[in-house]
Amino acid sequence: MSWQWFHRLGSPRWFYQKTSVWLPWLGTASLLLLAVGIAWGLGFAPEDFKQGNSYRIIYIHVPAAFLALAGYYIMAICGAIGLIWKMKLSFVVMRAAAPIGAALTFIALFTGAVWGKPTWGTYWVWDARITSMLILFFLYLGVMALSGAFAREQSGDKASALLALVGTVNIPIIYKSVDWWFTLHQPATLKLTEASTIDPSMFYPLITMIAGFYLFYAWVLTLHTRSLILQREWRTQWVRELLGQSAPAAKV
Amino acid sequence: MEFQFENFSSFLAMNGHGPYVWAAYGVALLVLVALVAVPVLRQKKLRQEFDRQLRQEEARRRTAKQREVQQEPVTPA
Amino acid sequence: MRVEPFDRANPDLSKRDSGSVKSVPPRVPGFYTLLRTEFTLAVRRRSDIVNPLLFFVTVLAMMPLGIGPEPEMLARMAAGLIWVMALLATLLSQESLFRGDYEDGSLEQLALQPQPLYFPVLAKVVVHWLVTGMPLALLSPLLGMMLNLGEAGYWPLFVSLALGTASLSLIGAVGAALTVALRRPGLLLALIIMPLYVPVLIFGTGAVQAALDGYGYGPQMAILGAILAAAAALAPLAAAGAIRISLEN
C-alpha cells in the first residue's frame, strides 16, 4: 500500500537508523548558517540610526521567537498524530519538542528583556508580545510537567498530547486577547517601535539567522528524539544489536 | 559590506550597548549549546549503562562456566 | 438471581422496579437526570461548596492588609483582585471535580455506558458552576463594595463573573480530567490550566474597567459569551478524552 512509508515512519528503529545518516549534515549546515549569521549580524550589518548597536539582538531574538511559537505547533501536531494514529514515534517527538520549545521561548524572553533596557529604559514591560511569550512559556512548562507526572509513560504521552492540543486551540485566542488588553492599557509615554520596513543590509543576516535556527531546531529535535528513543526501546533487540556492535566492551 | 567597527575594542563596546548585546548573545548561545549537550550526554550515559550491563552479563557467564569446571571432578565421584 | 448494579440514572432506590431490567436495554440517563444526580451529590458535600467561597472572601480580605487601605488605590485594583481570586477559587475547587467518582469507580462505569461522555461531563461542570461560580458572582458586588469599587462596576462585575466562571469551570474540567489519576494534582493543575484562563480574565476585568470608565461594556460581554459557547462545545469533548486517558492509567 501507499501508506507503507507512513507506518515505516512510525517505527522508532527506522527513524533512528535513517537519521544517523542525516544528522551530521543537518548539524554542520545549521552551525555554519548560525556562525555566518552571527558574524554578519554582529559585525557587518550597519548600525541602526535610532537604536544604535543594541538592535543587533534582533538576530537572535526574532528567530528564537519564531521557532518558539512554531515549536508549539510542531509539538501539538505530533501529539495529535500520536493520538489519532497511535504512533509511538510521534509521542517521542512531542516529548522531545517540549523542552526545546521552552528553551527557545526563554531565549526570546531573555533577549527581549535585555534589548528592552537600552531601548525602553527598563528590562520588563508588560507589552503584548512579551506577555504572550510569557504565557507561551507557561504553556510549555505545563506540557512538560504533565508529561512527567505519570508513572505510566503512555498515559503521560496521551495526556500531554491532549493538553498541547487544547493549548493550540487557545493560543490564537490568548494572543488576540493579550493584544486587545495591551492596547487598552498602553501608557501614553511608551512608544514602541512599529513594524517598519527593514533595510536589505539588515534583513539578509536576519534571514540567514532564521534559516539557521530552523535547521538548528530540526537538528536538536532529532538529537533529543534519538536519545529518548534509546531510553524507551532500551530492552528491545535492535537497540541491543545497535549498541552491542559499536560498543568496545562487547568485543572483549 | 564591510566590518562596521574600527577595532576590536570598539566592537566589544558597541557604542555603549556592548553589555546588553553580549549578554543576550552569550546567554542565547549558552542555552543553544545546552540544547545540543543534553541529548548527547544522555546518549553517552545510556551507552555506558549498556556497556556496564553487558560486562556484568559477561562476568556472570564466566563465573558460571568456572563453577561448572570446578564442579566437574566432583560429579563423577 | 441477578445482582443489580448501582443505577446512576435512577438514584432513588424506592422507585426502582427490578422487574423491567431484564428485558430493557441498558438505560441511558437523560441530561436532566444527570444534572439532578450531580446536584444532589454536590449539595451533600457541603464543604466543597462553602470552602471555595470562604477562600475567596478570606483572601480578598487580606488584600487591603497587604496593599494598604487607601480607597483610591483599592478602587483601581478591585476588579482585577476580585477576578483573580475568583480564578483561584474556581481552580482550587476543580481538583475534586472527578476525584470522588474516579476513586469509587463510578467514573469508569460512566465511561462504559453506551453514550458519549460529553453529557455526563457537561452535567458535572454545570453543577460545579452552580455551586461555585454562581455564588462567587452573587457575592462579588458585596466584595466590590468592601474594596471601594465604583457603583457602575457592580452589575458588569456580576454578569462578567457569572459568564466567565462558567467558562473557567469548563476549561478547568479538562485539567481536572487530565490530572485525576495523579495522587497530588493541586499545583500541577494550576500550572497547566492558568495560562488557558488568560482570555477570560482579560475580558472579564476589561468589562468592569470599561463600565467604570463610563464606556459600554457590551463587546466584552459578547466576547465572554462567545468564549463560553466555544468552551461549552469543545471543553467537555476534551475532558471526556482526558477521562478516558486517565482511566487507562
Side-chain angles (χ1 to χ4, degrees):
Chain A
M1 278 296 284
S2 56
W3 279 96
Q4 207 177 358
W5 64 271
F6 193 64
H7 290 292
R8 212 166 339 133
L9 202 65
S11 139
R13 179 187 183 175
W14 183 86
F15 179 86
Y16 195 92
Q17 283 165 351
K18 267 281 173 278
T19 47
S20 49
V21 185
W22 304 339
L23 215 50
W25 295 100
L26 209 55
T28 323
S30 75
L31 290 184
L32 212 67
L33 273 178
L34 285 182
V36 169
I38 287 176
W40 197 348
L42 275 179
F44 295 94
E47 196 178 328
D48 186 71
F49 79 100
K50 233 164 48 188
Q51 300 186 33
N53 279 315
S54 70
Y55 99 94
R56 295 182 194 280
I57 295 175
I58 200 176
Y59 295 118
I60 31 177
H61 177 76
V62 167
F66 261 36
L67 270 163
L69 189 57
Y72 197 91
Y73 285 109
I74 291 170
M75 181 177 77
I77 290 169
C78 285
I81 292 174
L83 281 179
I84 296 167
W85 285 289
K86 315 233 177 316
M87 202 183 268
K88 261 195 293 182
L89 177 65
S90 192
F91 284 128
V92 182
V93 180
M94 178 199 73
R95 267 182 198 256
I100 303 173
L104 287 169
T105 317
F106 172 77
I107 291 180
L109 278 172
F110 183 84
T111 54
V114 172
W115 192 3
K117 185 67 183 167
T119 317
W120 306 328
T122 166
Y123 284 110
W124 190 265
V125 181
W126 288 95
D127 152 68
R129 258 175 294 175
I130 299 176
T131 312
S132 309
M133 261 298 156
L134 187 66
I135 294 166
L136 184 68
F137 189 53
F138 292 150
L139 283 172
Y140 270 123
L141 293 186
V143 172
M144 282 166 71
L146 189 66
S147 69
F150 285 83
R152 208 168 142 261
E153 215 161 40
Q154 286 98 317
S155 300
D157 283 348
K158 288 183 190 168
S160 46
L162 191 86
L163 180 65
L165 276 179
V166 173
T168 315
V169 175
N170 267 278
I171 281 181
I173 305 173
I174 293 174
Y175 271 58
K176 279 285 160 217
S177 62
V178 170
D179 229 28
W180 179 84
W181 162 81
F182 181 64
T183 53
L184 189 74
H185 292 273
Q186 189 168 21
T189 48
L190 196 76
K191 277 272 185 331
L192 297 181
T193 44
E194 290 285 304
S196 52
T197 51
I198 179 166
D199 191 76
S201 59
M202 295 174 174
F203 186 61
Y204 290 139
L206 185 59
I207 281 287
T208 313
M209 283 303 274
I210 290 175
F213 259 77
Y214 264 95
L215 284 182
F216 182 83
Y217 183 87
W219 181 44
V220 170
L221 186 64
T222 317
L223 277 178
H224 275 249
T225 309
R226 282 164 60 91
S227 73
L228 285 181
I229 285 176
L230 272 198
Q231 210 167 30
R232 280 197 175 193
E233 308 264 304
W234 182 239
R235 308 239 162 259
T236 59
Q237 190 58 39
W238 75 268
V239 173
R240 295 188 79 87
E241 275 167 18
L242 181 97
L243 290 183
Q245 60 180 236
S246 55
K251 287 175 192 148
V252 180
Chain B
M1 194 168 73
E2 53 186 289
F3 198 58
Q4 297 290 315
F5 302 92
E6 280 136 32
N7 49 41
F8 193 69
S9 60
S10 76
F11 178 55
L12 283 184
M14 292 242 162
N15 278 341
H17 286 154
Y20 304 115
V21 175
W22 292 114
Y25 272 78
V27 169
L29 286 184
L30 221 64
V31 175
L32 293 186
V33 167
L35 274 181
V36 178
V38 165
V40 169
L41 288 180
R42 193 191 291 145
Q43 198 130 354
K44 207 169 156 192
K45 219 172 110 191
L46 277 171
R47 172 147 293 175
Q48 277 168 355
E49 175 68 13
F50 183 83
D51 288 352
R52 204 178 55 80
Q53 279 191 4
L54 217 63
R55 259 189 309 250
Q56 261 177 3
E57 265 169 43
E58 194 77 11
R60 214 173 296 135
R61 217 172 296 141
R62 211 171 295 142
T63 51
K65 206 175 267 175
Q66 273 173 358
R67 207 170 294 145
E68 240 167 58
V69 172
Q70 282 170 354
Q71 276 169 356
E72 249 169 339
V74 185
T75 33
Chain C
M1 280 285 281
R2 76 166 57 208
V3 181
E4 205 177 322
F6 172 67
D7 189 359
R8 277 186 78 91
N10 192 359
D12 199 351
L13 283 169
S14 62
K15 283 184 193 159
R16 194 149 69 173
D17 57 333
S18 50
S20 63
V21 173
K22 280 173 240 158
S23 53
V24 178
R27 190 171 356 174
V28 173
F31 187 66
Y32 176 71
T33 322
L34 285 169
L35 265 187
R36 214 187 42 187
T37 317
E38 291 300 335
F39 192 75
T40 317
L41 286 171
V43 170
R44 286 205 190 131
R45 291 190 306 259
R46 201 150 304 150
S47 66
D48 279 9
I49 305 178
V50 179
N51 287 357
L53 281 175
L54 279 179
F55 170 82
F56 181 62
V57 176
T58 319
V59 178
L60 277 174
M62 295 291 123
M63 286 301 165
L65 299 177
I67 303 167
E70 296 97 50
E72 298 83 44
M73 171 120 78
L74 284 179
R76 209 143 24 94
M77 305 184 80
L81 287 179
I82 291 175
W83 250 100
V84 171
M85 286 312 137
L87 217 78
L88 282 178
T90 321
L91 194 63
L92 288 177
S93 62
Q94 205 117 50
E95 197 191 326
S96 59
L97 187 62
F98 300 114
R99 179 136 308 257
D101 280 352
Y102 176 76
E103 277 164 3
D104 69 12
S106 41
L107 199 60
E108 202 142 0
Q109 287 210 344
L110 268 184
L112 289 174
Q113 271 180 355
Q115 69 163 347
L117 263 177
Y118 180 94
F119 291 105
V121 171
L122 189 64
K124 272 184 181 300
V125 174
V126 169
V127 169
H128 177 260
W129 174 74
L130 275 177
V131 299
T132 55
M134 200 62 203
L136 283 180
L138 285 170
L139 260 181
S140 63
L142 179 71
L143 288 156
M145 191 194 70
M146 286 167 73
L147 289 175
N148 202 32
L149 181 77
E151 260 171 48
Y154 290 177
W155 179 244
L157 182 65
F158 168 72
V159 179
S160 70
L161 269 176
L163 277 175
T165 49
S167 303
L168 297 184
S169 289
L170 282 161
I171 299 167
V174 182
L178 280 173
T179 55
V180 73
L182 303 174
R183 208 163 300 141
R184 291 174 159 271
L187 283 174
L188 182 64
L189 179 63
L191 183 62
I192 64 176
I193 287 305
M194 269 305 184
L196 305 177
Y197 278 176
V198 167
V200 180
L201 174 67
I202 285 176
F203 289 108
T205 48
V208 184
Q209 209 57 53
L212 289 177
D213 295 343
Y215 300 113
Y217 49 84
Q220 286 88 331
M221 291 299 177
I223 292 173
L224 277 180
I227 292 176
L228 176 58
L234 296 176
L237 282 179
I243 285 174
R244 291 195 195 280
I245 292 169
S246 287
L247 285 175
E248 280 173 26
N249 194 37

